[in-house]
Amino acid sequence: MKLKLKFFSNPDRNILFLKKVMKIQEKVVQLSSIFAFGILLFHLGYSIDPKDQVATSFLFNLCLMLIGTGYLVKVLLVEKSIYPARVIFEILLSILLCLTALVRWNLFGNDTTEMILSFSTHYHLINALVIILFFIELSKFSLTVNELKLSPSLVFILSFIILIFVGTGLLSLPEATTGDISFIDALFTSTSAVCVTGLIVLDTAKDFTFFGQVIIMILFQIGGLGIMVFTSFFGFFFKGSYSIENRLFIRDYINENNVNEIYTTLFKIISFTVLVEGICAFLIYHFTDSAQFSGQGDQLFFSLFHAISAFCNAGFSTLSNGLYQEGFREAYNMHLAIALAIVLGGIGFPVVLNYYSYVKHLIVGFVKSVLGLEKYRHTPRVSSVNTRLVVYTTGILLVVGMVVYAISEQEHTLKGLSVYGKFATTVFGAVTPRTAGFNTVDMRELAVPTVLVYLFLMWIGASPGSTGGGLKTSTFAVAMLNTFSIASGKTRVEVFRRQLSNETLKKAFAVITLSVLVMGLGVFLLMIFDPELPMIDVAFEVFSAFSTVGLTLGITSQLSLGSKLVLMVIMLIGRVGTLTILIAIVRRIGEQRYKYPEENVYIT
């Protein structure tokens, strides 16, 4: 349904005029969305004088009316059909926005207005709608980032830095905290949330209001998946298409070689995230004692916050003592549900998508075989070498972690627990250093062997393309395979009947070297800024920051300004990757058309 309006007899002039109208419409909707979001932040973040609230509410309603009208104009002038899901959504959105503005202006009478506001939980639905509108326009704008002609690596890094400073500004709002917050503490908290680390210098439960906790939750949700994944998906959905530049630009973020499958891959990533977080939130809600909460809403928010934090491997908690809090430390079923979400979030989206294709192939082949449409055809090597390497390495590290924890903690954190309690605590103790950051025990009571193993597990971290950080499981596996190949006298590295490329080996070596240098420099600087702190505690803190784990032996709040700045830089480096930063700042060399004579260097 495209409205054929003719303002001029000349078709070319008519088309040009409509294009100008659409450009004005886009600008009006963008500016109105930004302005409405700014007013919303002003209302939520500050205590407002009633006189100012009347004026800002009028402007807020005007913005809603302009956005609703703008979407309606776009549908009438541009869309060829009203049946696509995006167009139906925009029509409903425009109607809802216009009606909301009229309701807020009280044009339907006091009784009707009060009834509608009561049904929509007063202004919560409207506020959520404005946030969604702002995000939609931001997503559309993000698709133009390729016009800056910057490398994907640099844009990836800048997106995290920008999000960190936006989060710092939001956490600095008066209504985000229960008391005053310094800029450095707001910056540290925002960096920790965006980099899904979980290290805190303030008590998330006591020092932040509900508004502040929601901001932190949004920051680690976006930081876990990457802001470019979010904005690219919603930008395409509401814009309706990708340019070829967009496709080539975005594919580097999601490891998708087929540019025609970019939107499908993004949809699978978002769907898997929502599904796992939803199931985990349900399990947490089911396995927690309602007596520990002030109401059902409080319990729901607790469940959602910890489900997102677990899947994103963020480690943030709304409990002052983490999951070791009295009333939660023995909720072993909840601990196992969180541990499962941590593993699924840290396994990596490439692995998830690979197994999705494998399961889909099995189901489709079986159904066709049962219906007699065609015989089942076996497709060899549906799971890639990367997938198998990641899964095997993850499994081995989890088993090693559990065995060591079970042995070394018998007379420490496991002492006095039931059999099931020991099992759940051991499993959780092996999972949480894999960039998760939750604790179900008092970290200061851990045995020294456990702390040393934790350093090793934190250093390796999660898997590539996941919500976690660290060296990455595949990097460690490639390094070990290369070591065994050299020891056995092989001239190449082979695994699963495949030969690993020299580029893979070089990248693994570079990442390991850079990680050791960054962590070593971090420990050195922290010991300069805070020489009174124990060496083992400082090393644990730096390893935790680099691998975006969030576990601590209790020194984070005692750190000086210099140490906090160092940890923030390390958290950012650990989240975006050392090699990504190096690629972004070092000029790429073109094809080398020469070759020097080879010569050996003594290694041992």
Side-chain angles (χ1 to χ4, degrees):
M1 182 200 74
K2 185 176 180 180
L3 193 62
K4 299 184 181 296
L5 296 177
K6 293 185 178 180
F7 298 95
F8 302 97
S9 57
N10 188 320
D12 292 336
R13 290 188 64 189
N14 197 63
I15 291 173
L16 290 173
F17 178 76
L18 289 178
K19 284 184 177 180
K20 289 181 179 179
V21 170
M22 292 313 302
K23 283 185 178 180
I24 294 173
Q25 178 267 342
E26 287 180 4
K27 290 297 180 184
V28 168
V29 170
Q30 283 180 359
L31 294 174
S32 299
S33 300
I34 294 171
F35 201 55
F37 183 72
I39 294 173
L40 176 62
L41 287 181
F42 181 68
H43 281 187
L44 295 175
Y46 294 90
S47 298
I48 308 172
D49 185 86
K51 294 180 181 178
D52 296 332
Q53 190 166 7
V54 172
T56 54
S57 294
F58 176 81
L59 293 175
F60 185 80
N61 298 338
L62 181 62
C63 289
L64 295 182
M65 183 63 74
L66 288 173
I67 298 169
T69 306
Y71 275 115
L72 196 57
V73 168
K74 178 189 172 186
V75 170
L76 294 174
L77 297 182
V78 176
E79 302 299 342
K80 297 178 181 179
S81 172
I82 63 171
Y83 297 109
R86 172 179 54 83
V87 180
I88 293 174
F89 179 82
E90 289 181 349
I91 293 173
L92 294 175
L93 190 61
S94 62
I95 294 172
L96 180 61
L97 288 170
C98 292
L99 285 176
T100 299
L102 296 176
V103 167
R104 287 171 61 91
W105 273 325
N106 201 21
L107 294 184
F108 298 107
N110 291 329
D111 294 337
T112 306
T113 299
E114 191 60 35
M115 182 185 68
I116 294 174
L117 290 176
S118 240
F119 178 75
S120 62
T121 321
H122 286 273
Y123 295 111
H124 295 317
L125 180 61
I126 300 167
N127 295 342
L129 192 59
V130 170
I131 295 172
I132 292 171
L133 287 169
F134 173 75
F135 192 74
I136 289 171
E137 296 306 317
L138 179 65
S139 299
K140 290 180 182 178
F141 178 76
S142 71
L143 294 181
T144 64
V145 73
N146 58 287
E147 297 176 3
L148 298 175
K149 306 301 180 184
L150 299 175
S151 69
S153 299
L154 185 57
V155 173
F156 182 68
I157 296 168
L158 290 176
S159 68
F160 276 91
I161 294 174
I162 292 171
L163 185 59
I164 286 170
F165 280 103
V166 170
T168 302
L170 294 176
L171 292 176
S172 298
L173 295 173
E175 295 299 314
T177 54
T178 55
D180 294 332
I181 182 173
S182 65
F183 173 78
I184 192 66
D185 286 345
L187 182 62
F188 189 97
T189 304
S190 178
T191 304
S192 182
V194 172
C195 297
V196 290
T197 304
L199 291 175
I200 54 173
V201 289
L202 296 175
D203 190 338
T204 308
K206 296 179 180 178
D207 296 327
F208 290 96
T209 61
F210 173 75
F211 175 57
Q213 292 172 0
V214 170
I215 292 172
I216 292 173
M217 182 177 69
I218 293 173
L219 289 176
F220 61 65
Q221 173 71 93
I222 298 176
L225 294 186
I227 189 170
M228 293 305 296
V229 171
F230 271 103
T231 56
S232 298
F233 173 76
F234 290 104
F236 173 83
F237 181 83
F238 291 102
K239 196 173 182 180
S241 63
Y242 280 135
S243 66
I244 188 63
E245 292 87 356
N246 291 142
R247 294 175 187 270
L248 294 173
F249 195 79
I250 295 167
R251 70 174 182 177
D252 295 319
Y253 294 110
I254 58 176
N255 299 311
E256 177 59 63
N257 295 322
N258 188 350
V259 293
N260 294 322
E261 293 293 325
I262 287 176
Y263 180 74
T264 303
T265 303
L266 287 171
F267 179 77
K268 290 175 182 176
I269 291 173
I270 299 295
S271 300
F272 179 73
T273 300
V274 173
L275 178 65
V276 174
E277 290 176 352
I279 293 174
C280 183
F282 171 78
L283 292 175
I284 293 174
Y285 183 87
H286 179 71
F287 291 133
T288 49
D289 183 7
S290 58
Q292 301 294 328
F293 304 94
S294 58
Q296 189 176 30
D298 186 26
Q299 188 175 3
L300 283 171
F301 178 72
F302 172 87
S303 304
L304 183 62
F305 187 97
H306 286 78
I308 296 175
S309 183
F311 180 79
C312 292
N313 283 213
F316 276 89
S317 176
T318 54
L319 303 172
S320 296
N321 293 323
L323 299 180
Y324 187 63
Q325 184 96 351
E326 188 70 37
F328 296 89
R329 65 179 65 169
E330 295 181 358
Y332 299 124
N333 291 330
M334 180 190 72
H335 298 170
L336 293 177
I338 289 176
L340 179 61
I342 291 169
V343 172
L344 291 175
I347 200 71
F349 292 112
V351 174
V352 173
L353 295 176
N354 198 185
Y355 274 112
Y356 169 81
S357 300
Y358 178 66
V359 172
K360 181 181 177 181
H361 166 74
L362 289 178
I363 294 174
V364 171
F366 176 76
V367 171
K368 286 183 177 180
S369 177
V370 170
L371 296 178
L373 299 176
E374 64 178 37
K375 291 183 178 180
Y376 177 76
R377 292 182 293 178
H378 173 68
T379 302
R381 304 198 65 83
V382 176
S383 58
S384 65
V385 171
N386 176 75
T387 296
R388 298 170 73 180
L389 204 59
V390 165
V391 171
Y392 288 170
T393 306
T394 300
I396 291 171
L397 292 175
L398 288 176
V399 170
V400 169
M402 284 189 286
V403 170
V404 172
Y405 193 96
I407 295 174
S408 61
E409 291 299 314
Q410 279 296 327
E411 298 301 320
H412 293 83
T413 57
L414 295 179
K415 190 174 182 179
L417 300 182
S418 63
V419 175
Y420 183 58
K422 289 182 178 180
F423 168 76
T425 303
T426 300
V427 171
F428 200 91
V431 170
T432 193
R434 307 295 312 287
T435 82
F438 289 106
N439 65 295
T440 58
V441 298
D442 187 347
M443 295 296 296
R444 291 167 294 186
E445 294 181 2
L446 290 176
V448 174
T450 308
V451 173
L452 295 177
V453 171
Y454 266 32
L455 291 175
F456 174 70
L457 293 176
M458 288 193 297
W459 176 54
I460 296 174
S463 303
S466 70
T467 59
L471 180 68
K472 299 299 190 301
T473 52
S474 57
T475 304
F476 174 74
V478 168
M480 294 304 297
L481 289 170
N482 189 31
T483 302
F484 290 135
S485 295
I486 294 173
S488 60
K490 291 184 178 180
T491 58
R492 55 184 179 269
V493 180
E494 298 171 334
V495 61
F496 305 127
R497 296 185 179 182
R498 288 292 187 273
Q499 177 181 328
L500 300 184
S501 65
N502 286 330
E503 183 182 3
T504 300
L505 301 178
K506 290 178 182 179
K507 284 183 177 180
F509 173 77
V511 170
I512 291 173
T513 304
L514 290 171
S515 69
V516 173
L517 289 174
V518 170
M519 291 188 297
L521 182 61
V523 173
F524 175 74
L525 291 175
L526 256 67
M527 290 306 298
I528 289 178
F529 290 123
D530 294 293
E532 73 282 358
L533 295 176
M535 179 71 175
I536 187 67
D537 292 1
V538 170
F540 198 92
E541 199 82 5
V542 172
F543 274 65
S544 180
F546 176 79
S547 299
T548 68
V549 178
L551 291 176
T552 178
L553 296 180
I555 67 170
T556 312
S557 59
Q558 305 171 27
L559 297 176
S560 62
L561 174 61
S563 294
K564 289 178 182 177
L565 292 173
V566 171
L567 280 186
M568 281 187 276
V569 174
I570 292 175
M571 284 190 282
L572 179 62
I573 292 174
R575 179 64 185 96
V576 301
T578 52
L579 200 58
T580 303
I581 293 178
L582 200 62
I583 291 172
I585 61 178
V586 176
R587 185 173 65 88
R588 299 286 295 218
I589 298 175
E591 183 182 356
Q592 291 178 284
R593 300 180 181 273
Y594 62 89
K595 182 179 180 182
Y596 292 121
E598 289 186 359
E599 190 166 333
N600 292 326
V601 175
Y602 295 113
I603 302 299
T604 58

